[in-house]
Amino acid sequence: MGTALIGGMRHHGFEANSITVVELNASARERLQEYGVIVLAAPDASVFNSDVLVLAVKPQQMRAALAPFVGALRETLVISIAAGLHLADIGRWLGNSGAPYSRLVRCIPNTPALVGAGVTGMFAAPGVDAAGREIAGRILAAVGSIVWVDDETRLDVVTGISGSGPAYVFHFIEALETAGLVQGLEAADARRLAIGTVLGAVKLAETSSDSPSALREKVTSKGGTTAAALAHLTATGWHDALVGAVEAASARSRELGEQLGQD
């Protein structure tokens, strides 16, 4: 995800020499050279004095990654894209003399960010001003659209919908493709039809003034093929199952947040 952000930022006009990346892995440092950014094996003075610090590390590695910055940051805006970690925990770990760090933004991006089509849920701590929110938004908008929430707990719901959501869509595509194979289509044709159908439906939903339910009704003729398919889905509880899946993912996000924040 960090690499996706770098590529997106460069594509949207961020200067290469304004981006410094700290990467411990030597081979990863070599790959990052293609973006023209400054790549370091360890943070130096320029990193400590940066305007923005993006934490693009695994949640389990966050405490160790933050160690060099404890008590060293002043006005730097810190943006975390680590899943599950609460800002209170990051602020406590970064704080000095018992005072937590407060210029923090937490983000939940998703994997379509890798192709510039992500959607990111964002929450800013009270210590972040309008200018801080603007630059955080610019950075994450480099890989797709953004949605601000006014309560950090809502990011658990964001995780359940958009963070985990691509997997639901991939699973749906798998099912459509399998249905085509079972009924005799060639594999390449089944995949093309499945992916193309999802792409087209999403584009129509995005550009239409109609709600998804209205669009569904428009394509469902009484007694027709679509009506038969939807009746089967309803009978199997597909709609409620998906709502339940989002609730399960959101609940797990809350559990992980509590676990990851333990000292």
Side-chain angles (χ1 to χ4, degrees), residues 113-135:
L114 296 170
V115 293
V119 58
T120 300
M122 304 182 66
F123 170 77
V128 179
D129 57 14
R133 289 170 61 97
E134 192 274 335
I135 184 59

Side-chain angles (χ1 to χ4, degrees), residues 1-9 12 109-120 137-146:
M1 194 61 69
T3 302
L5 275 176
I6 294 166
M9 291 170 68
H12 283 79
N110 62 3
T111 54
L114 296 170
V115 293
V119 58
T120 300
R138 279 185 59 209
I139 290 172
L140 272 300
V143 291
S145 60
I146 61 173

